């Protein structure tokens, strides 16, 4: 699915319209661009597979707890969310990511933390696609990602099917 289509779905999930620069529609657009960039770049799939391999460290602990996506989720399954979460966890944001997946309060993350966690080329792709600077893209991702992950993981698990199916299910 194209980033714009995914962005529209995410915008709807977050309570916004189908498009637009501000509000939840803008959040959906930025997250759709991020997940699309991760899917096409393979970064999310590599991270998801590494987490599933049972590596030690924070990301491995989350994978062992059953909260990471299945391996290859960014590829055939059409769900780059698990790979994105693994990238964040490996960058020292495991506690925040777990809070978004869990049922408690969502811990915040800063734009600087997001910028440090994401590959530079991925953040540049997101910024280019959404017409903002890389700093603005990181800030917008930091603002909207906790809520989006929280809504996409109501059972405390990253969805195993496609991301589009998970979004549609949550919007029903």
């Amino acid at each position: 699915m194209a980033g714009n289509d995914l962005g529209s779905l995410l915008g709807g999930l977050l309570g916004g319209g189908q498009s637009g620069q501000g509000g939840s529609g803008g959040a959906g657009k930025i997250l759709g661009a991020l997940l699309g960039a991760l899917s096409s770049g393979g970064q999310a799939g590599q991270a998801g597979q590494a987490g599933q391999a049972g590596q030690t460290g924070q990301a491995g602990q989350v994978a062992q707890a059953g909260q990471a996506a299945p391996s290859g989720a960014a590829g055939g399954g059409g769900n780059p969310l698990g790979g994105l979460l693994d990238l964040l966890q490996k960058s020292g944001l495991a506690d925040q990511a777990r809070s978004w997946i869990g049922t408690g309060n969502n811990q915040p993350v800063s734009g600087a933390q997001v910028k440090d966690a994401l590959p530079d080329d991925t953040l540049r792709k997101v910024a280019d696609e959404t017409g903002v600077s890389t700093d603005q893209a990181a800030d917008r991702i930091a603002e909207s990602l906790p809520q989006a992950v929280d809504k996409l993981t109501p059972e405390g698990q990253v969805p195993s099917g496609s991301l589009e199916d998970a979004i549609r299910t949550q919007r029903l």
Side-chain angles (χ1 to χ4, degrees), residues 23-113:
S24 296
K29 182 177 179 181
I30 199 95
L31 291 178
L34 171 62
L35 294 171
L38 287 170
S39 290
S40 65
Q43 294 288 334
Q46 292 167 6
Q49 290 170 1
Q52 282 295 310
Q55 290 182 347
T56 58
Q58 293 176 337
Q61 291 169 358
V62 172
Q64 291 169 359
Q67 294 181 346
S71 63
N79 186 346
L81 182 60
L84 171 59
L85 292 171
D86 283 342
L87 281 174
L88 296 174
Q89 292 160 0
K90 290 176 183 177
S91 298
L93 301 174
D95 289 341
Q96 289 91 332
R98 271 193 295 269
S99 77
W100 308 338
I101 295 169
T103 56
N105 291 331
N106 294 331
Q107 293 181 15
V109 64
S110 71
Q113 289 171 307

Side-chain angles (χ1 to χ4, degrees), residues 152-166:
L152 288 170
T153 58
E155 305 294 323
Q157 299 276 336
V158 175
S160 60
S162 78
L163 188 57
E164 291 83 5
D165 289 344

Side-chain angles (χ1 to χ4, degrees), residues 14 21 23 26-31 34 88 93 100 107-118 123-124 126-127 130 132-147:
L14 295 170
Q21 293 296 319
K29 182 177 179 181
I30 199 95
L31 291 178
L34 171 62
L88 296 174
L93 301 174
W100 308 338
Q107 293 181 15
V109 64
S110 71
Q113 289 171 307
V114 167
K115 192 172 181 179
D116 288 343
L118 295 177
L123 197 53
R124 272 194 300 276
V126 172
T130 57
V132 298
S133 71
T134 55
D135 287 337
Q136 290 171 317
D139 288 343
R140 290 182 183 179
I141 291 167
E143 290 171 13
S144 54
L145 190 59
Q147 180 186 7

